[in-house]
Amino acid sequence: MRGYLVAGNWKMNGSNAANAALVDGILAGAPATDQVELLVCPPFPYLAQVAQMVDGSRVMLGAQNVSVHESGAYTGETAGSMLADVGCSHIIVGHSERRALYGENSDIVAEKFRAAQSAGLTPILCVGETLEEREAGRTERVIDEQLDAALGAAGIAAFASAVIAYEPVWAIGTGMTATPEQAQDVHRHIRARLEAEDAGIAAGIRILYGGSVKGDNAGGLFSNPDIDGGLIGGASLKPADFLAIADAAAALV
Ligand code: PGA
């Protein structure tokens, strides 16, 4: 039983005051089952603030990016060991906004995947196709290329302590959610790709769906056999919206 993971990617949103209200609300309403894990990923300056607030609770802390380097003269970068030091357990790597806006190709993402793991953190590896790629029938090829880069760099064993997030680029922040069938098809493909390497690891890994997940579509997505939760952007910024998604997962366990 993999259980669900509902992860909030706050992106570049928040303030001391807004974060305090958001985390208070999440802590007050988090579902009681240990089959639904919650994770919040605030911007770097607020990691320590949120770490203090979630300390001792069942809500986990993650970061949105990590340096490929361990330490040294890399102005503006943040090492995995630093993120672990301030209380992170997870790191999002390869989000499509990083790929599209900051030039992170699959090789850089694979290095970040490895950097997260060498710091003892669980990477959440994001993969997903653009609308143009989907319409050209290239969805699976694009996903394979993104997965294979991380598999090649880190090896299948690394996926025993990793999470994958399938995030079709056309569904992110657009209100155009993938249908449960579209999402399940790609999730099955991803799990099958890993199965070919190691059936046990494929069976154990959580594959999240991301892209306009809301309280009213989460249940339909999460009820599919290969969808193990969500990576949530817009709907992770209000306690009621985020908790509605967590509750949809809790209703399925
Ligand atoms: P969204 O973002 O939920 O706002 O579509 C998802 C993501 O980018 O992780």
Side-chain angles (χ1 to χ4, degrees):
M1 184 61 192
R2 294 186 287 267
Y4 289 99
L5 173 62
V6 177
N9 172 11
W10 294 4
K11 307 192 179 181
M12 199 171 72
N13 294 291
S15 66
N16 278 315
N19 304 342
L22 175 52
V23 175
D24 269 343
I26 293 171
L27 290 172
T33 169
D34 60 7
Q35 290 299 301
V36 179
E37 293 189 303
L38 300 184
L39 171 73
V40 292
C41 303
F44 284 151
Y46 300 118
L47 287 170
Q49 177 203 12
V50 177
Q52 232 175 6
M53 292 191 74
V54 300
D55 189 32
S57 79
R58 292 184 30 256
V59 176
M60 301 179 292
L61 182 69
Q64 300 173 20
N65 190 18
V66 64
S67 171
V68 299
H69 302 291
E70 285 178 13
S71 67
Y74 301 102
T75 301
E77 291 290 284
T78 307
S81 60
M82 298 170 183
L83 299 171
D85 199 22
V86 299
C88 291
S89 54
H90 291 70
I91 300 183
I92 300 169
V93 299
H95 190 280
S96 63
E97 287 153 16
R98 303 279 335 158
R99 292 180 191 260
L101 304 173
Y102 301 98
E104 293 189 11
N105 61 27
S106 286
D107 292 333
I108 295 173
V109 173
E111 277 188 66
K112 293 191 171 192
F113 182 93
R114 277 216 306 190
Q117 288 198 319
S118 34
L121 298 159
T122 302
I124 301 176
L125 173 66
C126 301
V127 297
E129 81 289 0
T130 63
L131 187 58
E132 194 186 5
E133 288 162 342
R134 171 164 285 265
E135 286 174 346
R138 293 180 52 226
T139 297
E140 293 187 352
R141 231 177 313 154
V142 169
I143 306 283
D144 286 348
E145 181 267 333
Q146 293 170 339
L147 269 183
D148 287 353
L151 275 170
I156 182 67
F159 285 76
S161 54
V163 173
I164 295 175
Y166 168 55
E167 298 209 309
V169 179
W170 48 272
I172 295 176
T174 58
M176 262 173 67
T177 323
T179 65
E181 297 71 28
Q182 283 173 323
Q184 166 59 24
D185 280 354
V186 177
H187 283 232
R188 178 91 282 279
H189 175 79
I190 292 169
R191 205 178 299 283
R193 175 74 193 83
L194 298 175
E195 249 158 36
E197 306 281 333
D198 186 308
I201 287 174
I205 195 167
R206 283 197 284 211
I207 307 176
L208 313 183
Y209 168 80
S212 300
V213 179
K214 310 276 180 243
D216 60 5
N217 59 27
L221 289 157
F222 297 172
S223 58
N224 285 277
D226 292 298
I227 303 182
D228 307 307
L231 181 55
I232 319 300
S236 71
L237 298 175
K238 288 197 187 134
D241 295 350
F242 190 61
L243 291 171
I245 297 167
D247 288 342
L252 295 167
V253 299

